[in-house]
């Protein structure tokens, strides 16, 4: 995917792990976890990267459903 280039490898791996953590939660708790973690992570350098990291985490969280 071309979009994968938007997020550095370390941030993408972190976001995927975050998505796996959120996978077993209900929608509200998962959203709260993902948004809170993304906004607090100093490795997320920009708003664009934060949005992409949240999307990656949500995608991974929803794969298991």
């Amino acid at each position: 995917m071309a979009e994968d280039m938007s997020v550095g490898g370390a941030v993408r791996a972190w976001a995927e792990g975050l998505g796996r953590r959120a996978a077993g939660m209900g929608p509200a708790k998962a959203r709260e976890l993902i948004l809170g973690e993304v906004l607090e992570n100093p490795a997320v350098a920009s708003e664009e990267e934060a949005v992409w990291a949240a999307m990656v985490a949500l995608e991974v969280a929803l794969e298991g459903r």
Side-chain angles (χ1 to χ4, degrees):
M1 290 170 102
E3 303 95 33
D4 291 350
M5 301 306 279
S6 299
V7 177
V11 173
R12 180 168 182 80
W14 169 80
E16 289 173 350
L18 179 58
R20 285 188 293 277
R21 283 178 42 208
M25 299 177 174
K29 285 287 189 186
R31 184 174 52 246
E32 181 181 335
L33 173 72
I34 290 170
L35 293 176
E37 293 281 330
V38 167
L39 293 174
E40 295 296 322
N41 187 339
V44 177
S46 67
E47 285 183 19
E48 181 178 90
E49 194 171 57
V51 169
W52 181 243
M55 288 174 51
V56 168
L58 286 170
E59 180 181 333
V60 170
L62 293 173
E63 282 177 354
R65 293 183 183 215

